[in-house]
Amino acid sequence: VQTPLTVWRPVVPEAASVSGETKGAVRHGIEPLAGLRRDFGGLEVSLTSTALAGVEDGMDQLIHYPYGCLEQTASRLLPLIMAQVMGNRFSLKLPGNMHKRIRDGLGRMLSMQRYDGGFGYWPKSTRSWVWTTAYALVVMHRAKRAEKATGVTVSRRAIKRALTFLKRRAGQPALLGAYWWSYETFLLYARALHGVDVHERAVELHEQREHQPLFARAMLLSTLARGKRTAKVRRAIGELVTELNDSLKIDGTTAHAEEGLHAGYQIMMHSDDRTTAMVLLALLHARPKHPLVTKLLKWFLVGRKQARFRNTQEAAWALMAFWDFAEIREKQVPDFEAGLWLGNTRVIKARFRGRSVKPVLRRVPMAELMRVAGTAAKALTVAKRGRGTLYYVARLRYARQQLPAKARDHGFAVRKKIVVLDRAGRPLKSGRAPRLGDTVLVTLRVKTTEARRYV
């Protein structure tokens, strides 16, 4: 019997990537390809005409969510409304009878409004809650914005009654409980969406923000960004933008929030990904051209198939941020030709006409890359010609011909210890090297200095 065995040469894979957006052209310097293996890796490129590639996954997850308290009913409404408004924009595949789905969802949500104007968690709830009422107003604001597209009218009377309920609780920490500051920032945000002037109270809360959660400060920034831009408001906006910016963790092409709040905040459905979405939403309205806006967006869209939203709150706030990003940052209908060059040689060409969330993906194997571009150092240029914005990610995967002689640090420290055991399972005192037939104990220690995903 003959069995062929493939013998692989040892390889230490490495990668370098660049990403960004351009309305014209951008150039990146790269290392020479000389000294790299021709049989491993290559250039992987993703080009899109929108930063929202992958948005349909989150919409689908919410639309088919099976449960139905007020928060879940309201959250399920958002992708239905968004799909109706933006479905043609991105050629999304929509479920049937959208008009009826939206009308029924809105009707079920309004069935949870009580006699005092507030909302309970279920149709037969005996108590109104500030959080659910504020969230219902947030969703009704989105539904009202989309009335022309959906054909479903939102009850102005229901909105007015809910606003009255919240007004009676504004500025009264004793009624809101231990987390009153976070509750009131959300309460003010919901009222501001419907045109209520709350900027004076918002400025007061800004002065009391020390040690308060990042998600609540993001809500406060969103509120201030929608109101009168007085001198005090402008100062507060500037300080909050700086604080949010300094609180984010940036990792390559993405940025996200990590709060580390205690479990008590789960009553407000807190999570780090929801905070990230709230920060994105706030920056979009306060500083639309902030350099971290696209990185925050990519946090949700890169690898989404492997990391679905964990709950309806994360998905809902992320979708609201996507919706506003499309309206604020991507007003133009794309119509352009794009390309990627190594030196003077174009290795990728793409054409974008109209709106689409589908990226153009290309891969150039290392051997082909070396044949086309050579092995000398070349500039990598990404450029477009036409109307719209080009979003790109270019990743070079490679392995060097010479294996590294020293340990390398890329964020993880890995140590392996091998101990030879005697027949009783105890470590040999001599500490000799293992031999054929020995029983050995292997201890592997992996150390990282920060939270990691997809390990």
Side-chain angles (χ1 to χ4, degrees), residues 131-175:
W131 192 93
T132 53
T133 305
Y135 189 58
L137 279 169
V138 170
V139 175
M140 284 193 284
H141 170 256
R142 294 280 168 168
K144 191 167 71 170
R145 274 174 55 179
E147 283 179 340
K148 186 176 180 180
T150 63
V152 179
T153 303
V154 183
S155 169
R156 281 10 180 211
R157 181 173 179 272
I159 292 174
K160 185 177 180 180
R161 292 176 61 216
L163 290 171
T164 301
F165 174 83
L166 291 185
K167 182 180 180 181
R168 291 195 294 265
R169 284 148 182 82
Q172 300 192 53
L175 290 177

Side-chain angles (χ1 to χ4, degrees), residues 224-234 237 285-287:
L224 290 166
R226 293 175 179 275
K228 296 179 180 178
R229 295 291 179 102
T230 64
K232 289 184 177 180
V233 168
R234 288 195 298 271
I237 288 175
H285 289 278
R287 296 284 191 273

Side-chain angles (χ1 to χ4, degrees), residues 98-118:
M98 291 289 288
H99 176 88
K100 183 177 184 302
R101 285 171 178 258
I102 294 170
R103 187 182 65 245
D104 291 349
L106 193 60
R108 176 173 171 79
M109 189 175 76
L110 291 178
S111 73
M112 302 182 208
Q113 189 171 28
R114 302 180 66 256
Y115 69 93
D116 57 2

Side-chain angles (χ1 to χ4, degrees), residues 47-49 334-338 350-354 358-360 390:
L47 304 176
T48 62
S49 60
D335 186 6
F336 61 84
E337 182 180 357
R351 179 74 192 181
F352 295 91
R353 280 195 179 95
K358 301 301 181 185
V360 173
L390 171 65

